[in-house]
Amino acid sequence: MTLFPLFLATCAVPAAAGILFKPGQWYRDLDKPTWTPPNRLFPVIWAVLYTLMSLAAARVATMAGNDLALALWGLQITINTLWSAVFFGQHRMLGGAIIIGLLWAAVLATTVAFALLDVLAAVMMVPYLAWGTFALALNISVWRRNRGRAAA
């Protein structure tokens, strides 16, 4: 049995958080930079990222000495789950930026740990790391533009 479906099912948790805590009118009314992607792209991007990170984890899961790498994968997916609730649910833009910063560090650590075991698995994590970098910049920009519009 392949482990890919198990890791992909784990990704359903942060995906569900994204469904439960939708952007809504509050987000639509925020001042956002011109480089903000259209809302319709986010589910597509996340579907690709969840697939790649699950494939990467499934590869590493079959290797000896994978304890730290898989623990870090678990940490990053846990942190990932928090962002939608904090940013969209609580309207905490700075809190969201802090969570993405922590997520970015966890994804970087996971990617490095994967690289020590399997270069292809690490390469599969690179788009996630790139998206995390972009998302952090976007979150910080939105926070800076809307400091007076914190949680209502």
Side-chain angles (χ1 to χ4, degrees):
M1 174 179 150
T2 179
L3 294 171
F4 169 72
L6 181 61
F7 286 105
L8 192 59
T10 303
C11 292
V13 177
I19 292 168
L20 290 172
F21 300 102
K22 296 180 190 283
Q25 191 62 46
W26 171 82
Y27 181 72
R28 284 190 292 278
D29 290 343
L30 292 176
D31 179 19
K32 294 178 282 299
T34 57
W35 44 273
T36 303
N39 287 343
R40 68 183 177 278
L41 287 184
F42 287 89
V44 175
I45 291 166
W46 278 110
V48 170
L49 295 176
Y50 288 145
T51 300
L52 286 172
M53 74 174 81
S54 296
L55 287 168
R59 288 181 61 87
V60 169
T62 63
M63 299 177 174
N66 64 9
D67 296 357
L68 177 61
L70 291 180
L72 288 167
W73 193 92
L75 175 64
Q76 65 78 24
I77 204 69
T78 301
I79 296 169
N80 183 315
T81 302
L82 295 173
W83 186 84
S84 291
V86 171
F87 189 89
F88 291 131
Q90 297 182 345
H91 303 172
R92 304 285 185 191
M93 294 174 277
L94 179 57
I98 291 167
I99 289 169
I100 292 179
L102 294 171
L103 176 60
W104 187 91
V107 172
L108 176 62
T110 303
T111 304
V112 170
F114 279 17
L116 296 173
L117 297 169
D118 183 69
V119 173
L120 182 56
V123 168
M124 287 187 221
M125 294 293 290
V126 170
Y128 186 22
L129 192 59
W131 177 253
T133 303
F134 177 81
L136 178 58
L138 180 59
N139 194 145
I140 289 170
S141 178
V142 169
W143 169 67
R144 283 184 171 169
R145 292 165 170 264
N146 298 280
R147 286 186 195 175
R149 301 192 63 177

